[in-house]
Amino acid sequence: MTEPFTVAIDGPAAAGKGTVSRAVAAHFGFAHLDTGLLYRAVGAQVLQGTNAIDAAHALMPEALEDPSLRTAAVAQAASKVAVIPQVRAALVDFQRAFARRAGGAVLDGRDIGTVVVPQAEAQLFVTASAEVRAKRRWTELKERGEDADFEQVLEDVRIRDARDTERATAPLRPSERAYILDTSHMSIDAAVAAAIAQVEAKRSGLR
Ligand code: C5P
């Protein structure tokens, strides 16, 4: 397939978007962009003392490779810079160009179906309860040997949810065309299978 075909996968922190997105991209042979990394890279720069809007304008794709972008401190900094309209505007062109590349693309984030690519052929909103998401995040941290406190992880999830859903520009919400995938009581394999089935249905609808 050489035509653009965009899969928009939105949802709150730790809902399983990343895993579902990577699996969908691998299954269909599409390119994948974790758009949270763009905001994390800007957040990381701000923690180093750079102005957020300047950092967003100067962002280089190589910056997305930095493993330190995965820390909890950078996640909180990311959700703070993400409320700034000029930061969001600076990052939109890169995301749109990625989305419409030939051969298909999966983008995961918070506003892909609502703002970045509303024409995305397939749209999913992957969610789960705050407790389930915090439990998954906590288990992941434990497995990495980090000393995490569950109540603190839950509090972090809630703070980020509030910032993401209550902001004025591009708040987190499902687009009208999104298929809602609530993974609270689903295994990751079942969630991936459901997502692939949705995307396949949209693809065959176009053929
Ligand atoms: O998905 P991830 O947890 O890496 O995102 C970090 C933060 O970046 C989110 O809490 C959100 O504030 C912001 N973000 C956003 N729009 C996106 C992707 C991420 O505002 N498309």
Side-chain angles (χ1 to χ4, degrees), residues 13 17 34-37 39-40 75 78-79 82 88 95 109-112 160 164 167:
K17 291 191 305 289
D34 170 359
T35 65
L37 284 178
Y39 293 90
R40 285 173 182 259
S79 72
R88 305 199 70 83
Q95 296 174 75
R110 303 291 188 287
D111 62 338
I112 309 305
R160 214 135 65 89
D164 289 349
R167 69 184 177 217

Side-chain angles (χ1 to χ4, degrees), residues 11-13 35-44 46-47 52 69 71-85 87-88 91 110 137 155-172:
T35 65
L37 284 178
L38 301 171
Y39 293 90
R40 285 173 182 259
V42 174
V46 168
L47 293 177
L69 298 184
T71 64
V74 171
Q76 290 294 344
S79 72
K80 288 184 189 162
V81 302
V83 307
I84 306 170
V87 167
R88 305 199 70 83
L91 300 177
R110 303 291 188 287
R137 182 57 49 92
E155 180 65 9
D156 279 358
V157 162
R158 291 209 164 111
I159 292 173
R160 214 135 65 89
D161 280 358
R163 225 181 260 133
D164 289 349
T165 54
E166 290 163 17
R167 69 184 177 217
T169 309
L172 171 68

